[in-house]
Amino acid sequence: MNLRIAVPLEGDDFESEVSEHFGRARHFAIVDAEDGEIRDVRIVELPFEEHGPGDIPNFLREQELTLSSPTG
């Protein structure tokens, strides 16, 4: 089974902690997993400074996610 997951981050690198508030995160780790193993991880930055309702989910939908890890 292939999964692509978005995890909101506090910072912009692989050492960042998971953000406690999905809507305030500027960066997301996009994790590709296959058969229970991580195959790839990349960090994406939101392409906008301010956002309205639905902007973040729409941006993440463009990343072709299987699921997301919403918090907050």
Side-chain angles (χ1 to χ4, degrees):
M1 173 183 233
N2 295 340
L3 294 174
R4 177 169 285 167
I5 303 165
V7 180
L9 300 176
E10 286 290 331
D12 62 356
D13 60 30
F14 292 109
E15 300 298 318
S16 299
E17 293 189 26
V18 173
S19 175
E20 292 186 22
H21 195 287
F22 192 84
R24 292 188 185 145
R26 293 274 312 133
H27 297 87
F28 289 81
I30 306 296
V31 181
D32 289 324
E34 182 179 340
D35 298 325
E37 292 188 29
I38 294 174
R39 299 294 183 188
D40 187 46
V41 180
R42 61 190 169 91
I43 295 176
V44 297
E45 181 177 6
L46 294 179
F48 37 80
E49 289 293 324
E50 296 183 20
H51 62 86
D55 288 344
I56 293 175
N58 288 335
F59 171 74
L60 293 175
R61 187 175 298 115
E62 293 171 2
Q63 307 302 310
E64 300 178 352
L65 301 179
T66 307
L67 66 116
S68 62
S69 173
T71 56

